[in-house]
Amino acid sequence: MHIPDGFLCTQIWTLMWIISIIILAYAIKKTNDRLGEKKVPLMGVLAAFIFAGQMLNVNLVVFGGTSGHILGSVLAAVLLGPYTASIVMACVFIVQALVFQDGGITALGANMFNMGFIGTIGGYYLYSQLSKKIEGRNALLIGAAASAWISVVLASFFCAMEISLSGFSPLGVSVPLMVSVHAFVGLIEAALTFTSLAYIMRVRPDLLKLEKI
Amino acid sequence: MGDDYVIWGLVIAILLSSIVSLYASSDPDGLEWVAQILGERGQWTTLESEPLFTSPMPDYELSLLPNESLAASFAGLTGVLLMFVFVYVIGSLLEKKNGA
C-alpha cells in the first residue's frame, strides 16, 4: 500500500506531510529522555523485522493476481507503546523511500500516516480498550489481532480517500475496492500480530512488560 | 545490547529479507492492483512524474550485481542491517540520560 509519487495532488501530500511531522514531533517530545535502556535494542530488532516482513508479499487467493504484506504497526505499538512505535515505523518508511524507492518522497507523509500512525496510535488505543474488555489470559492477543486487522482496513480507507480527494479516482469506486482487498490483507496482519506476540509471551514474557510510551 | 534475542531476531530478519524474500509473490499489491483495474476502466489517473531522484537500490535490488537473486539478497541484507543501526541510533538519542 506504499503510495508512489504522482498518486496524490500537491495539496493532499503537503497536508499529509504536515500531519505526520506534527505526530512525529509529538512522539519525539513524549519519548525524549524517557526510553529505558532495554527498549533501544528492541526498537532496532523490531525495525529490522518489520522491514523484512514488509518485503514478503503473500498471494491473496481471493483476488486473482494481487498480493499483500504486513505492516507491523500494531505489533510494534503493543511491545513499545504508541509513540516509540510511531518513531520506529517512521524510520522504516524513510529508509524504504530513500534507499529502496518503495513509496514516493512526496507521498512519504501519507505513507507514514496510513501504514504507520493509524496502527501505532489508533490501533494501540483500540487494543488497550479491547484487551481490557476481553476476559481471560488471551485478552492481549485477541485485542492486538483485532486491532491489527482494523488498522490495515483503516489504512486502505485513508489511502483511497487521499487518492480520490486528489481527484484521481471516483471516491465511490476506489474506497470500496481498496477496503475489500485489504479486508483480506488485514487477515495476514492479524495472524502475524497474534503469532508473534504469542511466541514472545512464551519465550520472553519480560519483553511485553517494558514501559509503554 | 548483550541480550540473546537481539542476535536471534536479526538473524531471522536477515533470513527473511535475503532468502525467504526471493520466494515472495511478485504480483501487484492491493493498491497497485486497484490502480490497474480501475485504470483499465478509465476510473484511475495518475500524474506522470519523473521520479524525484533515484534510490541506490530501487525495487529492493542492487542492480550493480550480475545475478538477480544475489542483487535482491544483498538489498535485503543491507536493508535489515541499515534499519537496525538507524533505529538503534535514534533510540539511543532518546534514551534516558543517567544522572545528568
Side-chain angles (χ1 to χ4, degrees):
Chain A
M1 217 193 301
H2 289 69
I3 304 176
D5 287 320
F7 274 45
L8 301 175
C9 71
T10 312
Q11 290 91 326
I12 296 286
W13 68 249
T14 311
L15 176 71
M16 296 315 292
W17 258 109
I18 293 172
I19 295 173
S20 285
I21 286 174
I22 292 172
I23 295 176
L24 207 49
Y26 187 70
I28 291 170
K29 186 171 167 271
K30 282 288 225 184
T31 50
N32 190 26
D33 207 8
R34 286 186 61 196
L35 296 186
E37 54 166 1
K38 282 202 159 188
K39 274 185 95 172
V40 179
L42 181 59
M43 286 170 75
V45 174
L46 272 169
F49 185 77
I50 288 168
F51 174 87
Q54 291 200 1
M55 289 179 77
L56 306 178
N57 281 61
V58 178
N59 230 306
L60 296 183
V61 192
V62 198
F63 295 89
T66 173
S67 69
H69 63 70
I70 61 127
L71 299 180
S73 53
V74 172
L75 173 66
V78 169
L79 287 160
L80 299 168
Y83 300 110
T84 319
S86 297
I87 293 170
V88 169
M89 293 307 294
C91 291
V92 172
F93 297 122
I94 290 169
V95 168
Q96 285 172 334
L98 292 182
V99 185
F100 300 98
Q101 212 142 6
D102 194 7
I105 301 294
T106 55
L108 183 55
N111 284 329
M112 283 183 190
F113 181 84
N114 299 343
M115 295 184 288
F117 307 147
I118 287 180
T120 51
I121 298 173
Y124 183 81
Y125 176 76
L126 187 69
Y127 149 79
S128 56
Q129 295 301 313
L130 281 177
S131 38
K132 258 187 258 170
K133 295 218 166 68
I134 302 167
E135 304 264 324
R137 60 185 194 93
N138 287 331
L140 181 150
L141 297 177
I142 296 165
S147 305
W149 182 81
I150 291 168
S151 72
V152 171
V153 174
L154 259 185
S156 72
F157 173 81
F158 272 85
C159 173
M161 286 292 284
E162 290 151 12
I163 290 164
S164 288
L165 292 176
S166 294
F168 295 149
S169 183
L171 216 131
V173 187
S174 67
V175 172
L177 197 54
M178 273 296 279
V179 168
S180 41
V181 177
H182 289 89
F184 291 94
V185 180
L187 297 176
I188 307 171
E189 186 77 15
L192 166 101
T193 308
F194 187 97
T195 47
S196 307
L197 289 171
Y199 182 71
I200 293 168
M201 233 180 208
R202 183 189 281 212
V203 296
R204 287 297 301 268
D206 59 304
L207 292 179
L208 279 161
K209 296 192 181 78
L210 299 176
E211 191 192 3
K212 311 284 184 275
I213 303 172
Chain B
M1 283 198 247
D3 204 341
D4 271 3
Y5 85 89
V6 176
I7 305 296
W8 282 113
L10 281 179
V11 168
I12 293 168
I14 288 168
L15 289 177
L16 290 175
S17 70
S18 58
I19 295 171
V20 180
S21 67
L22 299 177
Y23 301 94
S25 169
S26 54
D27 281 341
D29 77 357
L31 175 60
E32 292 163 342
W33 183 79
V34 169
Q36 206 175 305
I37 299 250
L38 293 183
E40 284 163 14
R41 290 197 221 149
Q43 292 179 315
W44 189 285
T45 45
T46 49
L47 296 172
E48 278 308 320
S49 63
E50 294 283 306
L52 288 175
F53 77 114
T54 312
S55 306
M57 290 181 261
D59 292 323
Y60 299 94
E61 277 185 20
L62 180 66
S63 44
L64 291 174
L65 293 177
N67 174 301
E68 214 175 280
S69 304
L70 202 63
S73 294
F74 182 83
L77 170 73
T78 319
V80 162
L81 294 177
L82 183 65
M83 236 25 277
F84 178 78
V85 173
F86 181 39
V87 172
Y88 194 93
V89 169
I90 302 270
S92 307
L93 293 174
L94 299 169
E95 204 175 338
K96 242 178 263 174
K97 323 277 181 297
N98 296 324

